Amino acid sequence: MKAGIYHGIKQVAVEQRDKPAIGPKDVLIQVTYAGICGTDIGAYLHGGDAVGIYPGNEFGHEFVGIAAEVGAEVQGITKGMRLTINPTDRRSVETSGMNTTEIADMSGAFSQYVYVENARLNKNVFRLPDTLPDEIAMLTEPLSVSMHAVNLSQATKGDKVLVYGAGAIGLSAVAALQYKGVTDIIVSDINDFKLSFAKKLGAIPFNSNGKSLPEFVKQTWGTLKGNASEDTWNADVVLDCAGAPPILQEYMDNAKINSTFVEVAINMRPSELSLFWLLAKETVIKGSRGYTPEDILQSIDALNQPDCKLKEIVTHTFPLEELPKAFEVGSNPNEAVKVAIKHSL
Ligand SMILES: [Zn+2]
């Protein structure tokens, strides 16, 4: 089979590899569409060690495809079925000797075939509805990341939600919030190109470069009084899909009483947390990592809604043979949001 291989910084190639052999409990999926994730771009630009993508290996974890081979003991999955997977549960930690990050990030979405060990429907393999095209269903994985965060935030209809970051996860958060009935959404970023997609999805974009986000949020949604007589902004939920150290402090300084902050971005630098404001405002701060099968099912359903606009974020589609070019384009934040790889069958 043709396989997209990671060779190190700025080095990806399409090479010939053996098609994986499957056991009686496994499924082999022929990939139709794959998405390049921010994780893949990070490995391409800065190295893959931190995200479990090592030189010489297949990689890519956002994809959909067709069941090409189904083990005799697999239940509920038949050859030809259109599927996506939970890449973190693609193989077992015990038999693979890898952790869940490595299992997911070296799934091989840029290869013609991906093998799923111990395939179980609605656990690690998910059937796609006939009404949902592959090029949209390909967004299930990034949307699941955001759906998990939105579910943890408990955002609901009538809430006002501030999203930091207009990358694929921030934009997917907009779609996840809309699926939950939330209509008042501000997306903050410093990149006008990415913010234009927040606008297309129906959120209010704000470029915070040299401008005050708290002032904008207060102007847009009004101010409230906090327990220490301070003025707070009127956001019920704040999702950090950007990952800059000052974000937590900006939230604590302006937070509405009883509001919720969810961290979705990977931010290795420490942030300062005011325990006084935590007490005075009784805020909830949560971390969101990965997703559950229920988040994945909700994401497939969200993408299948006629009014879901998330497909707008796919800015480019390249054939597998042009994988190096796809990574070059995908690395430019002023040109690309989500880059798709179309496999030929
Ligand atoms: Zn991803």
Side-chain angles (χ1 to χ4, degrees):
M1 66 171 182
K2 283 183 197 157
I5 305 294
Y6 174 78
H7 282 296
I9 294 173
K10 292 262 184 178
Q11 291 174 55
V12 299
V14 179
E15 296 172 4
Q16 206 61 34
R17 291 283 161 112
D18 290 340
K19 187 165 133 182
I22 65 159
K25 293 187 166 70
D26 311 334
V27 165
L28 188 72
I29 299 176
Q30 183 168 16
V31 181
T32 53
Y33 273 89
I36 298 181
C37 179
T39 304
D40 305 318
I41 295 290
Y44 180 72
L45 292 178
H46 311 294
D49 284 2
V51 292
I53 302 174
Y54 309 120
N57 286 285
E58 296 173 54
F59 68 130
H61 57 272
E62 302 177 1
F63 71 97
V64 294
I66 299 160
E69 290 173 28
V70 180
E73 292 170 28
V74 176
Q75 308 219 327
I77 303 168
T78 50
K79 210 176 153 179
M81 216 177 241
R82 295 172 56 246
L83 304 169
T84 191
I85 71 164
N86 177 346
T88 63
D89 198 14
R90 186 181 65 84
R91 294 197 59 189
S92 88
V93 172
E94 289 75 34
T95 57
S96 68
M98 298 189 280
N99 64 41
T100 53
T101 303
E102 294 164 338
I103 289 169
D105 290 349
M106 295 191 291
S107 285
F110 310 129
S111 301
Q112 281 182 294
Y113 294 92
V114 173
Y115 133 81
V116 181
E117 188 181 286
N118 206 359
R120 280 185 281 166
L121 203 58
N122 294 342
K123 184 182 177 287
N124 56 359
V125 177
F126 300 84
R127 191 176 180 179
L128 300 173
D130 294 340
T131 45
L132 180 61
D134 288 1
E135 59 268 35
I136 301 173
M138 177 198 90
L139 298 167
T140 302
E141 198 272 348
L143 180 55
S144 300
V145 171
S146 304
M147 192 66 78
H148 188 59
V150 168
N151 281 331
L152 287 173
S153 80
Q154 297 182 323
T156 172
K157 196 172 178 170
D159 281 351
K160 295 180 179 6
V161 181
L162 169 62
V163 178
Y164 281 93
I169 297 302
L171 296 169
S172 296
V174 173
L177 288 162
Q178 289 168 334
Y179 178 65
K180 303 285 174 179
V182 176
T183 52
D184 292 322
I185 307 164
I186 292 174
V187 178
S188 172
D189 201 289
I190 52 168
N191 179 311
D192 277 328
F193 173 71
K194 291 199 278 180
L195 282 169
S196 71
F197 291 87
K199 191 169 182 211
K200 273 186 205 168
L201 295 189
I204 303 166
F206 179 72
N207 191 325
S208 62
N209 193 8
K211 282 179 278 173
S212 165
L213 175 65
E215 256 172 52
F216 179 75
V217 175
K218 287 172 181 173
Q219 270 167 20
T220 309
W221 290 336
T223 45
L224 299 167
K225 272 286 171 238
N227 286 326
S229 305
E230 82 282 14
D231 284 337
T232 77
W233 65 24
N234 185 16
D236 302 283
V237 166
V238 174
L239 303 175
D240 177 17
C241 307
I247 290 174
L248 181 63
Q249 198 184 341
E250 187 167 79
Y251 165 69
M252 290 309 292
D253 288 347
N254 296 283
K256 176 181 178 177
I257 296 168
N258 293 135
S259 62
T260 299
F261 178 95
V262 180
E263 181 62 29
V264 199
I266 294 170
N267 177 8
M268 304 302 280
R269 289 167 293 173
S271 301
E272 212 164 275
L273 170 68
S274 161
L275 292 172
F276 170 73
W277 284 132
L278 184 70
L279 172 150
K281 296 164 184 262
E282 295 195 317
T283 57
V284 177
I285 299 174
K286 290 184 179 178
S288 177
R289 176 187 184 268
Y291 30 71
T292 65
E294 184 54 34
D295 299 320
I296 296 173
L297 288 167
Q298 287 182 18
S299 298
I300 291 170
D301 190 47
L303 289 167
N304 197 32
Q305 302 300 313
D307 56 349
C308 180
K309 299 196 194 90
L310 195 60
K311 58 178 178 288
E312 298 280 350
I313 73 169
V314 181
T315 49
H316 301 80
T317 303
F318 291 98
L320 177 60
E321 293 68 26
E322 291 180 33
L323 192 69
K325 188 178 172 199
F327 268 84
E328 233 2 80
V329 171
S331 301
N332 184 346
N334 296 311
E335 192 185 345
V337 179
K338 179 60 73 184
V339 173
I341 301 297
K342 187 179 190 301
H343 291 247
S344 44
L345 295 179

